[in-house]
Amino acid sequence: MSEQDSLDRFLGEEVKPSEVEAKDSSSDWFERLKKILDERSAPAVKFSRAYLLSASYDGDLRCAVLKFYDPAENRILLWYDTTGHTPYCFTNLTPEELQALPEISGRENVEGFEVVEKHNPLTDSPIKVTKILARDPLTIGGRPSSLRERLPKAREDAKVWEADIKYHENYLYDLGFEIGMPYTLREGETLPKPDVGEAKLPSGLEEALKGEDEDFRNYTAEWVRLLECPVPSFKFASLDIEVEAPSLDRIPNAREALYPVIAVSVVDSEGRKRVLLLRRQGVEEGSAELDENVELEFYDDEVSLLGATLEILTHYPIIVTFNGDDFDLRYLWHRAQRLGFPKGVIPIDMGRESALLTLGIHIDLYKFFFNRAIQVYAFDQKYRENTLEDVASAILGVGKLPIGKNVSELSYRELAAYCLRDAELTYQLAALEGCLTLKLILALARVSRMPVEDVSRQGVSAWIKSMMYYEHRRRNLLIPSQSEILAFKGYTTTQPVIKGKKYRGAVVIEPKSGVNFNVVVLDFASLYPSIIKRWNLSYESVRCPHPECRENRIPETPHWVCRRKRGITSLIIGSLRDLRVKWYKVKAKDKSLPQEVRSWYDVVQRTLKVVLNAAYGVFGAEHFVLYCPPVAEATASIGRYAITKTIEKAQQLGIEVIYGDTDSVFLRNPTEEQIAELVNWSERELGMELDVDKVYRYTVFSSRKKNYVGVYPDGSVDIKGLTGKKRNTPEFLKRAFSEAVGILSTVESKEAFSTAREKIKAIVKECYERLKGRRYPLEDLAFTIVLGKDVEDYEKTTPQHVKAVKALPAEAREKIGAGSVIRFVKVRRDPGVKLLFQASPEEIDLEKYVEHIQSTFEPLLEALEIDFDEILGVPKTSRLERFL
DNA sequence: GCGGACTGCTTACCT
DNA sequence: ACAGGTAAGCAGTCCGCG
């Protein structure tokens, strides 16, 4: 039972008593499940070497419980705390004051007080605080009567610290447990013993870090110990359920669980594929094709089907689902209770936002793949939407089986095929590239110090928070509250470019319109993490309390930074940066290493990228626990300083800079010597690594920022920002645009441009002619836009895609909401838009589409000095004349 | 009552 | 529930215009 669960019981997510009569088999199933749970929960590990994957809180036993993965037995071992560690928080009230408080005295949930000395990072001085020990986590926080809520009201200046840290995290931090690492478990011993590897820098890295101080090197070595530790191969299964739904459009409500579960499919890492089916009246066998090795199991009643399913949940150490938190496992939990299963025999720990497994680990891939940072940095934005179908087709190249009818109308074999397909896709998402996804989660867990269940469900700010908390505990630092940080140093002074933002961000250099050959792009390797490292940025080091640091100023701001102590963030992010840039990125590309080794290096490299890219942003995010705007402001400010100085230096060296954005500069035809000089200057003067990122045969810039085409020597092409590449652009424009880019990729010299220009003109002309001749099918004309929120939530304006949806009758609109993809075309009449499937070719607004042809090609045409009207065969003056 | 200049909203993108 | 900066298209508002 998790602490979340105890909380939910407190908040009362109750299920109505059984409405469906239990059959004979039910008590057998209840007993069987009870027995499994009892056996497996008993802390009876004789001896085992196992990996720590997770921790939670057992509300009944009132203690922390650790989940280990035993690779020999392929199962999860539970270890219940025997140290007597209890929940706690800190306060500035003395034990005497506390004793006198009505909200404390006589509370049997408060076990005692202890005065302890901690170090306050904000004041850089020791601080005596009272540690309040509690009987359970809810005494500390989580309900209105908790100490976290009540103590601050006891006295005007009363403070509470560290009361919002989940108990199982406290437990891990305090005992120094390392998630993802191997331990030896022995019956009778108080604690599992870590199988500690050596914290030593590999010689290549040792060399690369020669210039760093000893603390930094030791700290980096600790990361190496964590990340070089081997990863076991996991036995796991994916699971998917189908429910007899009354209508095709409605997804059954998992909290009500009104309808029977009719199919459950399970695909496991040992090649087994099972589909459990419920026998129902009038359903035919059917003839849909199924793989030979698929095991079909029929159950005469739903209790047996659910009983078997719940047993499967106890059988596997790891279960992956796609949206199991909100649907599959939640549905099973509520449905099982509806069928009379007592809560105690259901091996699911149901929380408000997650569904965890009592005897295993549940990874919900929906949450993980939906995470923006994972989408962008780990999977290179290969997928855009967040349906299983979209993610799978983008990453795996296969789609969901199309069904035209309600699942309850399918034959057994059709239903099995459909249900199995979803489980297979889910399995593949976890298993692809040698279990990349699972390894990514494990590496993230090691770095963030978070249980794998949490790390796969939460975002970057939670990961970084966890890393920081771990480090605070290790150094006996009091974790300041958000309001304290803000009170000490919560202001910014730079003017943002965009209204409503908190401070000024990166600079973007005005590009020079036109075509340039031999363009070298230099960029700072991990600019912001490098800045955080080099400039010692951290919430406690920026605007530190020492008077002597005050002249150590940050450019363009009134802020200063500490000279006396290395900031925590600077150390953590700085070491991870060096580790990625100087070790893992290099190793991931080292062809002399065996494939499996290289792939792990690639996993780590990607993991670090995700964490590093977020490290700066979180300090500027209000909801981050260590929110510290001057840190974010300082980072961006130093970034502007670095790129601006670099451009000045380049110009001094006689290099023409044609563009730059945040951390990059585009140099026109520089010599090797010029590049080397600039790179050395940066190393020397800025203390930052400036590298050649890419070399283009030529680039095409319009006057627009963040928009360009770059052609590599081998003819491959980078297209950045241009309308012709955007997902919402109609297909006919994307195709014409990509044809034009195809022409560009063949251009090898300045001379070849004259023919290329003619070909591009011809492409635009052809596009125009086909449009005018209405020779494009309607769907090629459709704009594809994702609804950012539910239709009713557009209050200030009604954008076109919303207008198009609003034209639908209410019942058709029901299943359209935030995240839905809207396809519409522009028409001549009334609201000017129509959903694609409602429109007909004659009503298309051709004039509008001609404007779109123009705006799509304009950036290219401008760079190539081609006039759009001229292409259409209109004399240059005609538009003006028409106007006059 | 209409249209241009302007601001703001929305989406998709870049780093 | 990481940040800010840019482009594009449209919605909505204000104001002048006899």
Side-chain angles (χ1 to χ4, degrees):
Chain A
M1 176 147 331
S2 70
E3 95 201 57
Q4 185 64 57
D5 186 44
S6 358
L7 178 66
D8 284 336
R9 281 195 303 178
F10 171 76
L11 294 170
E13 188 181 323
E14 277 304 320
V15 177
K16 281 175 229 138
S18 159
E19 286 175 11
V20 185
E21 209 169 307
K23 296 213 173 160
D24 292 333
S25 66
S26 46
S27 57
D28 294 349
W29 276 110
F30 302 165
E31 269 170 41
R32 192 183 163 93
L33 287 164
K34 184 89 183 77
K35 195 161 158 252
I36 297 173
L37 279 160
D38 285 347
E39 272 174 22
R40 294 279 308 283
S41 304
V45 183
K46 296 266 182 276
F47 172 85
S48 190
R49 277 198 77 221
Y51 287 80
L52 177 60
L53 290 189
S54 173
S56 59
Y57 178 73
D58 189 307
D60 296 330
L61 297 174
R62 258 191 255 113
C63 74
V65 51
L66 299 175
K67 286 180 186 172
F68 290 89
Y69 180 82
D70 178 349
E73 302 284 329
N74 282 320
R75 63 174 195 162
I76 296 293
L77 301 172
L78 301 182
W79 182 288
Y80 295 83
D81 174 66
T82 57
T83 67
H85 185 276
T86 65
Y88 64 88
C89 65
F90 298 107
T91 176
N92 59 345
L93 301 171
T94 63
E96 296 71 35
E97 286 175 291
L98 287 166
Q99 209 59 262
L101 290 175
E103 44 268 272
I104 294 274
S105 63
R107 263 211 188 191
E108 74 273 25
N109 287 341
V110 174
E111 300 208 316
F113 312 116
E114 221 176 275
V115 176
V116 295
E117 186 171 295
K118 293 224 146 204
H119 191 82
N120 183 348
L122 286 177
T123 57
D124 191 22
S125 60
I127 179 171
K128 276 206 171 69
V129 290
T130 309
K131 185 176 188 179
I132 309 178
L133 297 158
R135 199 157 141 264
D136 53 64
L138 284 173
T139 303
I140 303 291
R143 53 185 177 206
S145 61
S146 300
L147 294 174
R148 189 173 71 196
E149 317 303 324
R150 301 186 63 163
L151 283 186
K153 292 174 193 146
R155 204 177 75 192
E156 207 181 310
D157 65 338
K159 283 182 187 161
V160 185
W161 290 283
E162 309 194 15
D164 53 0
I165 308 172
K166 288 197 190 75
Y167 177 64
H168 67 263
E169 288 172 351
N170 271 314
Y171 184 76
L172 291 172
Y173 304 150
D174 287 344
L175 292 156
F177 276 116
E178 298 185 321
I179 295 283
M181 300 299 277
Y183 284 81
T184 299
L185 286 70
R186 263 197 198 85
E187 194 180 4
E189 290 194 354
T190 321
L191 285 171
K193 199 167 140 278
D195 292 355
V196 196
E198 203 183 348
K200 190 170 168 284
L201 289 176
S203 57
L205 189 56
E206 171 88 65
E207 185 67 19
L209 296 182
K210 260 202 331 235
E212 305 295 337
D213 61 66
E214 200 178 330
D215 263 6
F216 188 91
R217 292 212 310 273
N218 289 341
Y219 199 79
T220 311
E222 282 293 319
W223 288 126
V224 171
R225 178 178 62 77
L226 278 185
L227 294 168
E228 294 287 309
C229 177
V231 177
S233 68
F234 294 108
K235 175 175 169 174
F236 70 99
S238 67
L239 177 125
D240 183 66
I241 72 168
E242 300 300 331
V243 171
E244 182 163 61
S247 87
L248 192 57
D249 305 339
R250 290 283 176 83
I251 298 159
N253 184 327
R255 285 180 170 81
E256 290 171 355
L258 289 175
Y259 312 103
V261 175
I262 53 174
V264 177
S265 54
V266 181
V267 173
D268 77 18
S269 49
E270 284 161 357
R272 235 181 130 186
K273 296 175 183 180
R274 295 165 69 184
V275 185
L276 289 66
L277 292 159
L278 179 65
R279 277 217 188 281
R280 287 167 298 148
Q281 287 252 304
V283 177
E284 287 174 20
E285 173 75 20
S287 57
E289 258 194 60
L290 283 170
D291 259 13
E292 248 173 52
N293 62 341
V294 175
E295 304 165 38
L296 289 189
E297 299 165 26
F298 288 90
Y299 293 82
D300 291 332
D301 58 274
E302 202 190 348
V303 168
S304 306
L305 174 68
L306 253 63
T309 305
L310 297 180
E311 190 176 343
I312 288 170
L313 295 182
T314 68
H315 177 73
Y316 288 99
I318 298 172
I319 298 270
V320 297
T321 64
F322 201 84
N323 203 24
D325 279 349
D326 282 334
F327 188 71
D328 304 62
L329 292 194
R330 192 175 293 274
Y331 201 95
L332 287 172
W333 163 256
H334 288 296
R335 186 67 190 168
Q337 285 173 74
R338 224 173 242 294
L339 295 182
F341 285 75
K343 272 189 184 176
V345 309
I346 307 172
I348 298 173
D349 290 339
M350 201 61 234
R352 229 177 341 184
E353 267 134 36
S354 63
L356 304 182
L357 294 171
T358 315
L359 300 178
I361 304 280
H362 170 218
I363 307 282
D364 185 340
L365 292 181
Y366 171 77
K367 290 228 170 97
F368 189 66
F369 280 95
F370 190 53
N371 184 322
R372 277 283 298 165
I374 295 298
Q375 259 174 63
V376 176
Y377 301 118
F379 291 97
D380 299 321
Q381 283 210 62
K382 275 192 204 149
Y383 59 97
R384 306 287 306 172
E385 293 144 46
N386 48 313
T387 60
L388 177 57
E389 193 162 3
D390 180 62
V391 177
S393 64
I395 295 180
L396 308 170
V398 285
K400 217 169 139 135
L401 277 192
I403 47 163
K405 42 187 170 176
N406 193 325
V407 284
S408 37
E409 290 159 15
L410 299 176
S411 71
Y412 287 127
R413 291 182 71 89
E414 281 172 328
L415 176 61
Y418 178 75
C419 182
L420 188 65
R421 173 51 91 89
D422 279 3
E424 277 179 321
L425 291 183
T426 307
Y427 175 81
Q428 289 299 332
L429 286 181
L432 75 128
E433 289 181 49
C435 291
L436 165 70
T437 307
L438 293 184
K439 286 177 178 170
L440 205 54
I441 292 172
L442 192 83
L444 269 172
R446 283 183 180 173
V447 173
S448 69
R449 319 284 193 172
M450 279 171 96
V452 294
E453 289 129 321
D454 298 351
V455 87
S456 62
R457 283 170 175 79
Q458 295 177 18
V460 287
S461 64
W463 305 340
I464 291 171
K465 169 181 82 176
S466 180
M467 289 169 67
M468 295 287 285
Y469 280 7
Y470 188 92
E471 196 54 28
H472 278 74
R473 283 286 163 79
R474 217 171 63 94
R475 300 164 174 233
N476 195 37
L477 297 173
L478 185 67
I479 300 169
S481 66
Q482 213 203 33
S483 58
E484 278 179 300
I485 299 178
L486 243 41
F488 264 79
K489 45 187 77 178
Y491 81 102
T492 52
T493 59
T494 53
Q495 278 311 318
V497 173
I498 306 169
K499 237 187 218 172
K501 299 289 185 187
K502 287 166 290 204
Y503 58 89
R504 175 163 292 220
V507 274
V508 187
I509 307 301
E510 199 75 51
K512 293 186 181 159
S513 174
V515 174
N516 284 297
F517 276 78
N518 189 27
V519 172
V520 175
V521 183
L522 299 187
D523 77 348
F524 291 103
S526 304
L527 176 69
Y528 289 162
S530 305
I531 290 171
I532 290 170
K533 177 191 167 199
R534 264 272 150 325
W535 288 70
N536 193 27
L537 303 186
S538 191
Y539 78 87
E540 79 283 17
S541 57
V542 170
R543 304 181 69 86
C544 65
H546 320 119
E548 71 270 31
C549 301
R550 287 196 171 223
E551 67 267 32
N552 191 19
R553 289 278 296 278
I554 287 159
E556 277 182 58
T557 73
H559 310 315
W560 64 91
V561 67
C562 192
R563 278 199 173 112
R564 273 179 38 182
K565 266 192 186 174
R566 176 133 216 175
I568 304 171
T569 317
S570 175
L571 180 63
I572 297 181
I573 298 306
S575 54
L576 289 178
R577 186 220 93 108
D578 279 17
L579 207 49
R580 171 163 190 263
V581 172
K582 296 174 196 245
W583 187 247
Y584 285 99
K585 249 185 115 169
V586 184
K587 287 295 194 180
K589 284 191 195 140
D590 186 344
K591 296 254 162 65
S592 70
L593 293 168
Q595 179 52 41
E596 319 88 72
V597 178
R598 240 169 66 204
S599 97
W600 173 247
Y601 283 131
D602 189 50
V603 167
V604 175
Q605 180 272 121
R606 287 199 229 190
T607 304
L608 297 180
K609 185 173 168 189
V610 174
V611 172
L612 290 171
N613 274 307
Y616 141 78
V618 293
F619 285 98
E622 290 98 331
H623 55 82
F624 181 54
V625 281
L626 301 173
Y627 175 50
C628 187
V631 169
E633 183 179 39
T635 312
S637 189
I638 297 164
R640 291 194 301 275
Y641 173 81
I643 189 176
T644 310
K645 289 283 171 199
T646 304
I647 291 168
E648 280 172 25
K649 182 66 190 175
Q651 284 161 349
Q652 278 172 31
L653 292 171
I655 316 172
E656 193 185 342
V657 179
I658 57 173
Y659 180 60
D661 185 349
T662 312
D663 61 354
S664 64
V665 285
F666 287 57
L667 310 178
R668 188 184 148 265
N669 199 19
T671 65
E672 292 288 331
E673 295 73 41
Q674 284 174 318
I675 294 170
E677 247 189 280
L678 194 57
V679 167
N680 290 336
W681 168 86
S682 165
E683 182 72 53
R684 210 171 53 240
E685 299 297 319
L686 301 175
M688 306 236 277
E689 290 162 52
L690 190 60
D691 304 318
V692 174
D693 179 34
K694 44 200 178 184
V695 179
Y696 291 121
R697 183 199 289 159
Y698 71 93
T699 58
V700 182
F701 275 97
S702 71
S703 53
R704 294 158 188 78
K705 295 170 174 180
K706 298 182 189 279
N707 275 263
Y708 61 87
V709 176
V711 180
Y712 288 102
D714 68 356
S716 59
V717 182
D718 276 344
I719 308 167
K720 299 290 182 183
L722 294 157
T723 304
K725 201 192 79 166
K726 291 192 177 181
R727 319 237 166 198
N728 54 4
T729 300
E731 209 52 46
F732 84 102
L733 285 170
K734 281 203 255 189
R735 274 206 311 273
F737 188 79
S738 109
E739 269 181 65
V741 170
I743 300 299
L744 289 178
S745 90
T746 64
V747 174
E748 305 219 11
S749 65
K750 286 172 199 169
E751 295 70 45
F753 255 106
S754 52
T755 46
R757 292 174 77 239
E758 292 313 311
K759 284 181 188 165
I760 288 170
K761 280 187 192 171
I763 289 166
V764 178
K765 173 99 179 168
E766 166 69 9
C767 180
Y768 173 78
E769 297 295 345
R770 281 182 71 175
L771 176 74
K772 282 286 188 185
R774 297 183 192 273
R775 284 185 282 137
Y776 285 115
L778 210 47
E779 60 185 67
D780 283 3
L781 302 179
F783 291 83
T784 309
I785 294 188
V786 179
L787 264 184
K789 45 194 175 187
D790 292 340
V791 174
E792 312 78 62
D793 297 340
Y794 289 86
E795 283 164 355
K796 300 183 171 142
T797 56
T798 311
Q800 293 200 312
H801 60 296
V802 180
K803 272 189 185 156
V805 174
K806 281 195 163 169
L808 279 174
E811 63 273 18
R813 257 159 60 183
E814 279 217 10
K815 57 180 170 175
I816 297 175
S820 297
V821 178
I822 311 302
R823 305 232 290 155
F824 68 89
V825 293
K826 302 200 175 179
V827 294
R828 285 191 311 269
R829 297 264 293 251
D830 207 16
V833 286
K834 252 188 182 179
L835 287 178
L836 173 61
F837 81 93
Q838 292 182 305
S840 55
E842 321 82 66
E843 43 184 350
I844 289 300
D845 184 347
L846 294 179
E847 297 266 319
K848 267 269 177 293
Y849 278 92
V850 174
E851 282 173 25
H852 281 287
I853 298 179
Q854 175 163 19
S855 60
T856 301
F857 281 95
E858 197 51 51
L860 283 191
L861 299 183
E862 180 198 324
L864 303 178
E865 294 175 321
I866 302 170
D867 186 78
F868 182 72
D869 285 345
E870 199 185 316
I871 297 179
L872 305 192
V874 193
K876 260 196 171 175
T877 47
S878 89
R879 284 196 164 194
L880 186 62
E881 279 166 1
R882 240 185 300 156
F883 174 73
L884 293 171

